[in-house]
Amino acid sequence: MWNRIGTIFLAGVAAVAVPSALPAQMAQPATMGKPAAASAPAQASAPASPHDFSGVWNLRATPAQRKYLGSTWTADPPEMTPWGTEKYNSYKPSNGPRTHSLTETDDPVLKLCLPPGTPRIYLQPFPFQIVMTPKEMMMIFEYDHTIRQIFTDGRPHPKDVTPTYMGDSIGKWEGDTLVVDTVGFNEKTWLDRDGHPHSDQLHVVERFHRVDNDNVVDDITMDDPKALVKPWKSQLNFQLKPEWDLMELACTDNGAFVEFEK
């Protein structure tokens, strides 16, 4: 477990977590020293409903994405407004082309243990679980027990939405695609681990589509007229991990990992 927590600050800072990093979750039951009994022929499982994303999922980068997806959304940086550029240049990230040490960084996640926010939470190299109910899709992230609620019962965004880290998320189905609209952000988070900023005008639209039983694609559009000249788009691929369970991870425990830089 400690090796997994450490990836936030060490190897995981620049790379997306891979299944080999989670041996405990893949453990098989012991046979008590007896030969395994012959099992009955496996029966093909019923295909998953395209409207049901239940299960534990882990980010899987394509070969092209492995160069950057551990810390940001695209190979090329977004075009920022003067306000966004000033903010970006003032930050001291511990990832990307302007890497700072853990003692120097002002990354709000690493320095203050603040929630990563939406959509940066996906870049934390840890899995998450989706639970579907009649009124919402709940995303339970292993990272710091963060929970995101996506309401699917037809409600609109509140007129007086309270600014939060994860934002207010409303989902609706368009065929087999769940379109999630998120607004109502505070300005305490970054868009990624490289230090790209956003304002309270951030508007995130995601399109979740289950391409097969084991894979979900999420097309993300980040729009913020105060920080970005044009919307910033990316696509994420999540792989189902039916044998995994979420573990406990508390951000406040990670202070000890600064010692590894010495």
Side-chain angles (χ1 to χ4, degrees), residues 77-89:
E79 186 177 357
M80 293 177 288
T81 63
W83 182 90
T85 300
E86 181 180 0
K87 288 282 188 181
Y88 178 75
N89 290 335

Side-chain angles (χ1 to χ4, degrees), residues 13-65:
V13 164
V16 175
V18 295
S20 60
L22 301 165
Q25 297 188 15
M26 302 299 291
Q28 300 296 318
T31 60
M32 302 296 290
K34 299 179 181 179
S39 58
Q43 297 181 355
S45 60
S49 166
H51 288 191
D52 185 5
F53 301 141
S54 300
V56 175
W57 300 87
N58 198 51
L59 181 63
R60 184 179 67 175
T62 65
Q65 291 176 323

Side-chain angles (χ1 to χ4, degrees), residues 151 153-159 168-170:
F151 294 103
D153 55 2
R155 72 180 69 185
H157 291 296
K159 293 182 179 179
D168 184 79
S169 295
I170 301 296

Side-chain angles (χ1 to χ4, degrees), residues 116-247:
T118 302
R120 178 182 167 175
I121 186 69
Y122 296 132
L123 299 181
Q124 300 301 113
F126 300 94
F128 62 90
Q129 183 171 355
I130 291 179
V131 177
M132 310 287 291
T133 78
K135 78 167 188 176
E136 66 184 324
M137 181 172 89
M138 183 175 294
M139 305 180 82
I140 306 169
F141 294 89
E142 182 173 277
Y143 178 78
D144 212 29
H145 316 290
T146 304
I147 294 178
R148 180 186 181 195
Q149 292 176 284
I150 300 172
F151 294 103
T152 56
D153 55 2
R155 72 180 69 185
H157 291 296
K159 293 182 179 179
D160 58 345
V161 59
T162 299
T164 58
Y165 296 96
M166 304 302 289
D168 184 79
S169 295
I170 301 296
K172 65 177 182 179
W173 289 99
E174 293 183 357
D176 290 340
T177 297
L178 180 63
V179 181
V180 179
D181 187 278
T182 307
V183 297
F185 295 98
N186 61 38
E187 295 185 1
K188 299 179 182 180
T189 67
W190 295 352
L191 287 176
D192 59 8
R193 303 171 80 187
D194 284 2
H196 290 100
H198 70 81
S199 73
D200 59 2
Q201 298 178 37
L202 176 63
H203 180 194
V204 179
V205 176
E206 298 171 79
R207 300 180 65 87
F208 292 90
H209 179 72
R210 191 163 193 159
V211 295
D212 56 37
N213 183 75
D214 297 327
N215 297 277
V216 163
V217 170
D218 181 13
D219 290 294
I220 301 177
T221 300
M222 295 162 276
D223 189 11
D224 187 339
K226 188 173 181 179
L228 303 173
V229 172
K230 60 182 179 181
W232 194 9
K233 298 183 179 182
S234 183
Q235 184 180 83
L236 301 183
N237 301 277
F238 300 115
Q239 187 173 50
L240 183 66
K241 298 296 180 181
E243 297 182 6
W244 288 14
D245 294 314
L246 298 188
M247 300 173 68

